[in-house]
Amino acid sequence: ATMRSKIIKNDQVYALERWLRHDLVKNNYEGKQFFRRHVRPASLALKRFRCGDYDSFAWSSKASGGLREKLVMRLRFLRRLTGGVGCTKELEFVILELLLRAGGAEGYKSLSLWRLDEYLHSIELSALWMITESPSAAQRYKRCFDMLDAIDADLLIDDIPDEAKTALLDGLSERDFGSTAGGRRIASAVLERLNEYILTENKLDMMPEECLVQIEHVLPPKAGGKFWNEHWKNKEERVELSQRLGNLVLLSRKVGASATRKGFADKKERYEEEVWPLTRSLAKLDTWQKDELLEQQQVNEGLIKKAWAL
């Protein structure tokens, strides 16, 4: 953190080595003491985060039901992104710092669970900024180190400006998430977060992480067949809207390519059996045309505003 950059050059490696030697001498450590105090706790915390093993954190048993669900919900979202979306990977070292402090690791300042929740919310917003604005690596690292400074000073992390929140919301609404594998990974994380927000708001249990199996386009991007040809005659609108977040749903069961191309009546039968509330809600509709897609887009936007206080 002192160098405030990613370690990629020889002189930075040497600087890290000098810091390590200085820390060992200053604290009169032997190597095994340094390992026990710094390396082992950090390695274990990072492994638990990456594996989604939230119950093994010490803070998990101390958090009340509602607060624990919020913390796990935020960590799940961040795990999905940092594990599959390269532009958010840097956030892991900020998350790791928080988990060590909240867990009462030796040598780290303690952190209340309410403060942990506030910081994780700020990190979620930073993740959304990274996936919608595509900042440079230097900008991403600056944001991460600014957050570490705030955490170390026990200050709230600076919120993003209102105009940036508007741009963020527009980016989530207008981006063609469904057109690339990376975009679909982002859409999966966002939709899972919105579905879990609905569940927790209704005092229902969150779904196990393994329930997220597949993401599906309601309107197939290359729609064929009688239903889609009759209901989506405007090919330009089909191309424009089929990749948006409002046309994507989560599935808990894997389906084949032929099933994803079928008409809406066939898809409704599957959606009615889904565990994900946003997917299941589409089973109440009679058809899936432009108006329905745009209405679902508005539903998602409303949930995004509530889930992240935008």
Side-chain angles (χ1 to χ4, degrees):
T2 302
M3 293 180 289
R4 308 187 75 79
S5 66
K6 186 177 182 179
I7 300 171
I8 56 176
K9 300 178 181 178
N10 284 342
D11 58 339
Q12 293 172 325
V13 174
Y14 297 146
L16 176 62
E17 183 180 348
R18 287 194 298 273
W19 169 83
L20 179 57
R21 289 181 183 277
H22 174 75
D23 190 77
L24 290 173
V25 172
K26 178 182 176 182
N27 293 287
N28 196 26
Y29 284 149
E30 293 182 5
K32 62 182 180 181
Q33 291 174 308
F34 182 85
F35 179 86
R36 177 182 59 80
R37 184 171 182 177
H38 293 288
V39 178
R40 187 173 184 275
S43 298
L44 287 174
L46 185 59
K47 179 184 178 181
R48 290 165 180 165
F49 169 69
R50 288 179 173 176
C51 294
D53 186 13
Y54 311 115
D55 288 338
S56 63
F57 286 107
W59 53 261
S60 179
S61 60
K62 301 175 184 177
S64 61
L67 178 57
R68 185 188 182 282
E69 286 183 345
K70 285 177 66 178
L71 293 172
V72 170
M73 185 165 53
R74 297 192 195 283
L75 287 169
R76 275 188 176 187
F77 175 68
L78 292 168
R79 174 176 172 259
R80 290 277 187 202
L81 288 183
T82 57
V85 183
C87 67
T88 64
K89 190 67 175 177
E90 296 91 344
L91 292 170
E92 268 195 339
F93 65 78
V94 187
I95 298 166
L96 179 58
E97 178 75 15
L98 291 175
L99 293 176
L100 289 169
R101 290 179 181 235
E106 183 182 357
Y108 290 85
K109 295 179 182 178
S110 62
L111 184 71
S112 72
L113 296 183
W114 288 107
R115 190 64 120 185
L116 174 62
D117 182 62
E118 291 174 337
Y119 283 144
L120 288 176
H121 174 250
S122 295
I123 297 174
E124 282 187 299
L125 292 181
S126 295
L128 294 174
W129 168 70
M130 290 175 180
I131 63 179
T132 55
E133 295 297 309
S134 300
S136 66
Q139 290 173 316
R140 298 197 303 269
Y141 269 91
K142 182 181 184 305
R143 177 64 177 168
C144 289
F145 284 117
D146 285 346
M147 287 191 287
L148 283 179
D149 287 342
I151 292 167
D152 197 49
D154 196 25
L155 299 173
L156 289 177
I157 297 172
D158 290 337
D159 204 358
I160 59 176
D162 289 340
E163 59 270 21
K165 291 181 179 180
T166 301
L168 189 154
L169 185 60
D170 291 342
L172 290 173
S173 301
E174 298 172 6
R175 179 169 172 172
D176 291 340
F177 287 107
S179 61
T180 65
R184 289 190 290 275
R185 284 194 291 271
I186 295 173
S188 294
V190 172
L191 287 173
E192 182 183 32
R193 178 70 165 83
L194 299 183
N195 276 276
E196 288 180 342
Y197 175 81
I198 293 172
L199 291 171
T200 56
E201 286 295 297
N202 287 281
K203 311 298 182 184
L204 299 172
D205 292 336
M206 290 188 294
M207 294 296 109
E209 288 191 88
E210 58 268 21
C211 281
L212 177 48
V213 173
Q214 188 174 338
I215 191 165
E216 180 179 58
H217 297 77
V218 183
L219 163 69
K222 297 179 181 178
K226 183 178 179 181
F227 177 86
W228 299 116
N229 287 331
E230 286 181 355
H231 292 82
W232 286 86
K233 295 179 180 179
N234 188 322
K235 291 186 178 180
E236 291 183 0
E237 286 186 348
R238 180 189 302 177
V239 172
E240 178 188 358
L241 297 174
S242 63
Q243 307 290 4
R244 300 284 176 84
L245 194 64
N247 188 53
L248 301 174
V249 294
L250 300 183
L251 301 180
S252 58
R253 288 171 289 185
K254 192 169 182 61
V255 298
S258 60
T260 66
R261 292 193 295 267
K262 288 187 176 181
F264 186 65
D266 294 300
K267 292 190 172 188
K268 276 179 57 173
E269 294 181 5
R270 288 194 285 111
Y271 295 165
E272 193 171 11
E273 303 300 321
E274 269 300 329
V275 298
W276 300 106
L278 280 174
T279 306
R280 196 167 57 245
S281 68
L282 300 191
K284 300 175 183 178
L285 302 177
D286 295 322
T287 188
W288 188 256
Q289 300 184 59
K290 181 180 178 180
D291 288 345
E292 285 74 21
L293 190 155
L294 293 178
E295 184 176 344
Q296 186 61 28
Q297 188 79 7
Q298 290 181 341
V299 169
N300 289 344
E301 288 177 12
L303 289 170
I304 289 169
K305 289 179 181 178
K306 291 178 180 179
W308 286 297
L310 293 176

